């Protein structure tokens, strides 16, 4: 297998090896300069690359190419063109020019633009992102050459998730390089950010999935009583894999490997039917593309195995939801991780400065980070009764917290706590060195050895947004730091003072305790940390004066782009809740209410026939059941009418006001409808219940 894996890894990618094999030396060198140093690309180079790419793709059976892009829907989009062009004698030629590689022109009018473009101005462009390699995709449509692209409007505004991410990566690089120069590292030309996203997901049986309109339309169950067993036994986390699941994972891994995705870790997660896949980290841009592909591959492969892959943040109430831990660090082009503390962090001034910058960035812009992890699904996790909390804080661990305390209290850090040896008390088990710090699973933003782990991101979200925000806020602080330090007379003194001042001022963001506790919520409020409870409440931060200045200064978003994105977010929220509410109305009126009426009628008939046969028989149990059922049915019917009315009212509103109405009126009304139906599920004859239950979905995979 080991040999086979190395054979298949990256076979579907136009990667460095393939480029070296197939491109003239000069072309390769020019392309590499653009990829590595961000230099402008010569159109002549594009022609040569396009031709080589086409030959490679056709040899592998490709008939079509597509510009693969990431509109603001959060998923990917593509339009396929075949390579054919007419030739004399009724024949065809297979062609692909540099122009076709560099620029595409899909009709942009049906993608969200937040008012950036009137519908009659449909022009949008896709532009080749040569920093992320092209790849082949094989499916029922045949083999398609996919070219990662950015997507923008006729007037140049970004209409996608990739463009701002690329801009933010440049901003971070520029500012980090300025700081490194001050430390004498003139050899560093660029700094990139590495990202490793851990992807959580659920797998359920496809046939059962197809019987649940809520799963089909909204990706989550909108009704469903808790089964007798949930996740309380803690027997699923890291449990041995069922055969059907291992077969799925094996195929997902193979597909990922062929696409050059470094699929590495897989295991069962906390909730029943929940699993995780983590790749080895990569440059943010490629990690983002790969994560989109991982999600696509998972859905496709699940289908082949008679399974449905649920990427929703909260497919089931009452058990854990799914997130995507975004592991993030900064690395120089010379291979040095700027967040690596080394063995003695107290002596590592450069590390402490970058650490201080991240602390300040996260504290100053906690609201923007919170926003970057907001979507309607994540509202069920963040700040609801499940982790992580909606309050942003940073976990540093014992060792770093101690170094910072020394700095703050005495002005000087003179030691770093060490991990020591771990002895389990069994002679045959070798002793080993343990880490200097334990982990903390409850922190939304945790330092984990040589990287930060942003744990708030939702499982279905593109990681482009969170990383765009993270890069920009850190770039901004580094830029202020560089301004100050470049002017300093004595660099050593200035940098020491700056670190001390920064960590002192931003101590409030550091929290090493239990982030899930109620005490923390109270404590965080005392510290003045924002606790933004929902997506709708988070959106205004995007267009705050602070955000406009920040993103504008680093050329990540213009004010117009920010406003359009806020519009899109409001709209996305309203549409999502509208679909959920309408699905509930449909399921309640066409499935649940008729089933309950059938049950109630059979109870009534049974009471009557028993009474006829044995007039003095005790039918009190049936009568009680009938009364309870009828009363719950009445509550459900009342809730159904109310919800229907609210949805109609919501349709008359728009923008922020509409989203707010969905959040504060429609959303709670959905819970009011759900409650009696879930109670009825526990009473009504299983044979009559019209949809598979939580027990069927979660335990019968
Ligand atoms: P855990 O669940 O214990 O946090 P995993 O192995 O599931 O660990 O995931 C850790 C993720 O962090 C992986 O994707 C890994 O490649 C990534 N990672 C490791 N080091 C770095 C780094 N320096 N920068 C960014 N990501 C990293
Ligand atoms: Mg993990």
């Amino acid at each position: 297998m080991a040999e086979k894996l190395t054979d298949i890894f990256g076979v579907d990618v136009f990667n460095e090896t393939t480029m070296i094999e197939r491109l003239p030396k000069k072309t390769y060198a020019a392309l590499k300069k653009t990829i590595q140093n961000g230099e402008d690309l010569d159109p002549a180079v594009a022609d040569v690359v396009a031709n080589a790419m086409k030959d490679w793709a056709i040899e592998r059976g490709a008939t079509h190419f597509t510009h693969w892009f990431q509109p603001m829907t959060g998923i990917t989009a593509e339009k396929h063109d075949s390579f054919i062009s007419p030739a004399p004698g009724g024949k065809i030629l297979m062609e692909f020019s540099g122009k076709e590689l560099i620029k595409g022109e899909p009709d942009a009018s049906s993608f969200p633009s937040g008012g950036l473009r009137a519908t009659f101005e449909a022009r949008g462009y896709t532009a080749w992102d040569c920093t992320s390699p092209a790849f082949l995709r094989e499916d029922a449509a045949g083999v398609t050459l996919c070219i990662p692209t950015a997507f923008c409007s006729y007037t140049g505004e970004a209409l996608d998730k990739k463009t701002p991410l690329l801009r933010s990566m440049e901003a971070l690089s520029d500012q980090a390089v300025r700081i490194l120069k001050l430390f004498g590292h003139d050899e560093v030309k660029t700094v990139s950010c590495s990202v490793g996203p851990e992807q959580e997901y659920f797998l359920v049986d496809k046939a059962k999935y197809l019987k649940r309109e809520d799963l089909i339309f909204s990706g989550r169950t909108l009704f469903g009583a808790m089964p007798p067993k949930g996740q309380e036994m803690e027997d699923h986390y890291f449990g041995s894999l069922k055969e059907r699941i291992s077969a799925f994972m094996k195929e997902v891994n193979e597909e990922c490997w062929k696409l050059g995705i470094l699929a590495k870790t897989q295991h069962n997660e906390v909730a029943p039917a929940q699993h995780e896949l983590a790749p080895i980290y990569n440059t943010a841009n490629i990690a983002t593309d790969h994560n989109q592909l991982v999600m696509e591959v998972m859905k496709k492969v699940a289908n082949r195995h008679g399974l449905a892959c649920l990427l929703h943040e909260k497919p089931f109430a009452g058990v854990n939801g799914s997130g995507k831990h975004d592991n993030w660090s900064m690395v120089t082009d010379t291979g040095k991780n700027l967040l690596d503390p080394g063995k003695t962090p107290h002596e590592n001034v450069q590390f402490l400065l970058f650490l201080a910058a991240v602390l300040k960035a996260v504290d100053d812009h906690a609201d923007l980070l919170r926003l970057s992890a907001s979507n309607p699904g994540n509202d069920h996790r963040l700040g609801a009764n499940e982790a992580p909390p909606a309050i942003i804080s940073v976990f540093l661990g014992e060792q770093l917290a101690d170094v910072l305390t020394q700095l703050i209290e005495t002005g000087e850090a003179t030691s770093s706590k060490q991990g020591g040896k771990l002895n389990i008390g069994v002679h045959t088990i070798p002793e080993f060195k343990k880490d200097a710090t334990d982990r903390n699973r409850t922190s939304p933003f945790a330092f984990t050895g040589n990287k930060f782990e942003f744990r708030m991101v939702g499982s279905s979200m593109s990681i482009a947004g969170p990383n765009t925000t993270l890069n920009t806020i850190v770039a901004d602080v580094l830029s202020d730091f560089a301004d100050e330090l470049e002017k300093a007379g004595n660099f050593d003194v200035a940098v020491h003072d700056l670190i001390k001042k920064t960590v002192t001022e931003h101590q409030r963001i550091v929290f090493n305790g239990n982030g899930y506790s109620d005490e923390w919520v109270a404590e965080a409020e005392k510290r003045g940390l924002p606790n933004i409870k929902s997506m709708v409440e988070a959106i205004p931060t995007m267009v705050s004066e602070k955000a406009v200045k920040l993103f504008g200064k680093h050329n990540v978003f213009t004010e117009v782009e920010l406003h359009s994105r806020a519009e899109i977010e409001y709209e996305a929220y309203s549409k999502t809740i509208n679909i959920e509410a309408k699905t509930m109305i449909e399921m309640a009126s066409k499935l649940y209410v008729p089933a309950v009426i059938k049950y109630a009628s059979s109870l009534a008939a049974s009471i009557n026939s028993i009474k006829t046969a044995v007039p003095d028989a005790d039918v009190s149990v049936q009568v009680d059941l009938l009364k309870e059922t009828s009363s719950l049915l009445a509550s459900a019917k009342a809730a159904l009418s109310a919800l229907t009315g609210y949805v109609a009212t919501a349709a008359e509103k728009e923008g922020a006001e509409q989203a707010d109405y969905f959040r504060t009126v429609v959303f709670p009304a959905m819970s009011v409808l759900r409650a009696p139906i879930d109670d009825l599920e526990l009473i009504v004859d299983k044979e009559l219940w019209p949809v598979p239950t939580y027990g069927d979905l979660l335990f019968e995979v």
Side-chain angles (χ1 to χ4, degrees):
M1 183 65 203
E3 207 182 0
K4 268 212 200 126
L5 203 168
T6 45
D7 281 349
I8 63 165
F9 189 82
V11 288
D12 288 341
V13 189
F14 196 69
N15 55 20
E16 216 170 304
T17 312
T18 317
M19 285 195 258
I20 292 172
E21 269 167 27
R22 292 182 173 257
L23 294 176
K25 272 209 174 76
K26 257 172 78 185
T27 313
Y28 175 69
L31 183 60
K32 181 126 197 190
K33 258 195 188 157
T34 303
I35 295 174
Q36 264 183 356
N37 309 339
E39 289 176 22
D40 287 342
L41 186 81
D42 176 357
V45 168
D47 269 325
V48 181
V49 176
N51 206 42
M53 237 185 221
K54 177 202 71 182
D55 289 345
W56 169 78
I58 289 175
E59 279 166 33
R60 308 284 318 280
T63 51
H64 288 70
F65 70 93
T66 182
H67 275 199
W68 184 73
F69 59 106
Q70 300 171 23
M72 288 182 281
T73 51
I75 51 174
T76 59
E78 51 199 80
K79 182 183 90 178
H80 298 188
D81 278 299
S82 73
F83 291 114
I84 63 167
S85 76
K91 300 228 175 208
I92 51 156
L93 279 175
M94 298 291 262
E95 281 187 337
F96 184 50
S97 67
K99 220 177 99 201
E100 285 170 304
L101 170 63
I102 289 181
K103 187 187 96 174
E105 213 193 303
D107 180 344
S109 57
S110 294
F111 292 107
S113 81
L116 270 183
R117 202 202 40 236
T119 26
F120 59 89
E121 296 164 337
R123 237 185 247 280
Y125 293 110
T126 48
W128 179 34
D129 167 22
C130 64
T131 62
S132 180
F135 56 92
L136 295 175
R137 203 173 36 203
E138 193 173 350
D139 52 25
V143 180
T144 307
L145 169 66
C146 301
I147 299 149
T149 53
F151 179 44
C152 65
S153 73
Y154 185 67
T155 40
E157 279 103 4
L159 290 176
D160 69 348
K161 303 242 173 198
K162 184 189 270 277
T163 308
L165 175 64
L166 291 171
R167 292 173 182 164
S168 76
M169 288 167 70
E170 279 191 23
L172 182 68
S173 179
D174 291 349
Q175 302 308 330
V177 166
R178 278 177 75 194
I179 298 283
L180 289 169
K181 276 217 159 50
L182 292 165
F183 282 95
H185 293 299
D186 291 322
E187 75 284 4
V188 176
K189 297 281 173 288
T190 57
V191 168
S192 69
C193 51
S194 292
V195 171
E198 304 166 46
Q199 177 73 48
E200 292 180 337
Y201 60 97
F202 280 81
L203 287 176
V204 299
D205 184 78
K206 181 81 188 218
K208 294 191 182 106
Y209 165 94
L210 288 174
K211 290 192 181 132
R212 300 249 355 183
E213 280 172 67
D214 46 3
L215 287 179
I216 295 173
F217 294 135
S218 71
R220 74 178 180 105
T221 53
L222 298 164
F223 297 97
M226 271 306 280
K229 181 180 174 185
Q231 64 190 41
E232 63 274 53
M233 298 299 285
E234 296 171 339
D235 52 357
H236 195 258
Y237 192 52
F238 286 13
S240 69
L241 302 171
K242 288 182 187 164
E243 220 158 290
R244 200 169 168 197
I245 305 300
S246 343
F248 161 87
M249 287 181 173
K250 178 171 183 284
E251 204 171 320
V252 166
N253 284 331
E254 284 166 5
E255 296 264 319
C256 285
W257 291 331
K258 283 200 241 165
L259 288 165
I261 298 167
L262 295 154
K264 170 86 174 163
T265 310
Q266 61 195 25
H267 59 82
N268 282 349
E269 258 301 331
V270 172
Q274 192 188 28
H275 315 278
E276 178 182 304
L277 183 152
I280 297 176
Y281 63 91
N282 214 321
T283 312
N285 172 32
I286 296 175
T288 303
D289 287 0
H290 281 180
N291 182 247
Q292 295 296 134
L293 286 173
V294 164
M295 293 193 284
E296 273 177 43
V297 166
M298 280 178 168
K299 295 208 148 189
K300 249 186 221 173
V301 172
N303 234 339
R304 289 187 210 140
H305 288 255
L307 296 164
C309 173
L310 308 179
L311 292 170
H312 193 282
E313 284 72 19
K314 191 74 178 173
F316 300 97
V319 296
N320 272 17
S322 299
K324 183 139 56 188
H325 294 175
D326 188 79
N327 295 274
W328 178 93
S329 64
M330 296 172 272
V331 212
T332 65
D333 55 350
T334 53
K336 182 145 177 40
N337 178 356
L338 299 174
L339 290 178
D340 186 353
K343 288 214 167 61
T344 49
H346 69 283
E347 296 170 328
N348 190 343
V349 179
Q350 183 185 300
F351 164 75
L352 289 174
L353 185 67
F354 278 101
L355 179 73
V358 176
L359 280 186
K360 178 170 163 57
V362 173
D363 190 18
D364 286 348
H365 301 292
D367 54 348
L368 288 172
L369 267 183
R370 164 69 176 93
L371 172 70
S372 78
S374 300
N375 77 354
N378 232 2
D379 274 0
H380 298 275
R381 298 174 67 231
L382 310 181
N385 43 8
E386 122 164 36
I391 306 161
I392 303 241
S393 63
V394 179
F395 170 81
L396 286 179
E398 219 182 305
Q399 189 191 49
L400 292 184
D402 174 61
V403 169
L404 297 195
T405 307
Q406 293 178 48
L407 251 177
I408 293 166
E409 285 175 0
T410 67
E412 214 61 61
T414 54
S415 65
S416 298
K417 290 188 175 179
Q418 298 299 324
K421 291 257 169 73
L422 187 75
N423 187 326
I424 301 185
V426 178
H427 288 295
T428 50
I429 295 180
E431 261 190 1
F432 55 83
K433 262 189 78 183
K434 58 176 185 176
D435 296 291
T437 293
D438 198 2
R439 298 258 205 157
N440 177 319
R441 292 261 162 211
T442 65
S443 175
F445 202 89
F447 187 75
T448 45
N450 62 0
K451 63 185 193 289
F452 278 99
E453 187 173 358
F454 183 31
R455 301 218 181 92
M456 269 184 165
V457 183
S459 48
S460 71
M461 300 177 78
S462 159
I463 54 168
N467 288 304
T468 301
T469 300
L470 205 42
N471 293 343
T472 312
I473 62 178
V474 174
D476 190 56
V477 177
L478 292 177
S479 138
D480 288 347
F481 280 8
D483 290 346
E484 191 172 330
L485 295 174
E486 280 163 0
K487 299 196 293 249
N490 183 331
F491 175 71
D492 289 344
V493 172
V495 85
H496 172 272
D497 291 351
L498 180 59
I499 295 171
K500 179 168 183 249
K501 175 172 156 256
T502 310
V503 298
T504 308
E505 279 173 10
H506 296 283
Q507 263 306 291
R508 65 169 193 165
I509 197 74
V510 178
F511 178 63
N512 291 314
N514 178 7
Y516 299 173
S517 69
D518 292 336
E519 293 81 58
W520 168 234
V521 177
E523 164 72 16
E525 195 179 336
K526 257 196 254 153
R527 293 189 189 185
L529 298 177
N531 182 359
I532 304 171
K533 299 218 171 58
S534 73
M535 170 177 177
V536 174
E537 287 156 273
I539 298 171
T541 59
M542 190 182 289
V543 289
S544 66
E545 211 178 299
K546 185 184 79 155
V548 171
K549 217 175 115 210
L550 168 81
F551 287 114
K553 175 174 173 191
H554 299 284
N555 298 318
V556 174
F557 289 117
T558 62
E559 184 166 2
V560 173
E561 286 172 337
L562 285 171
H563 277 277
S564 75
R565 271 158 210 255
E567 276 311 300
I568 291 171
E569 298 268 301
Y570 283 127
E571 224 176 76
Y573 184 83
S574 296
K575 284 179 179 166
T576 304
I577 306 300
N578 189 43
I579 291 171
E580 290 185 350
K582 280 164 62 181
T583 305
M584 286 188 91
I585 292 168
E586 167 133 340
M587 288 176 79
S589 21
K590 303 230 176 100
L591 294 173
Y592 296 124
V593 168
V596 175
I597 291 176
K598 227 185 251 168
Y599 174 70
S601 313
S602 77
L603 268 180
S606 134
I607 294 167
N608 284 338
S609 59
I610 293 171
K611 274 285 179 199
T612 315
V614 188
D616 60 350
D618 179 5
V619 289
S620 59
V621 172
Q622 291 93 319
V623 170
D624 283 350
L625 268 177
L626 185 54
K627 279 190 189 156
E628 197 183 346
T629 303
S630 303
S631 139
L632 285 168
L633 185 62
S635 309
K637 185 68 187 72
L640 184 59
S641 308
L643 183 60
T644 309
Y646 297 142
V647 169
T649 309
E652 288 157 19
K653 303 178 184 290
E654 56 180 42
E657 194 203 346
Q658 186 185 45
D660 186 60
Y661 187 82
F662 270 111
R663 165 79 191 155
T664 55
V665 180
V666 178
F667 188 70
M670 288 160 56
S671 307
V672 178
L673 172 57
R674 177 176 182 150
I677 304 272
D678 287 0
D679 287 345
L680 283 162
E681 187 187 319
L682 298 173
I683 298 173
V684 173
D685 193 339
K686 170 118 177 138
E687 303 256 288
L688 293 175
W689 201 247
V691 299
T693 62
Y694 270 30
D696 302 333
L697 288 163
L698 287 169
F699 292 96
E700 293 178 19
V701 181

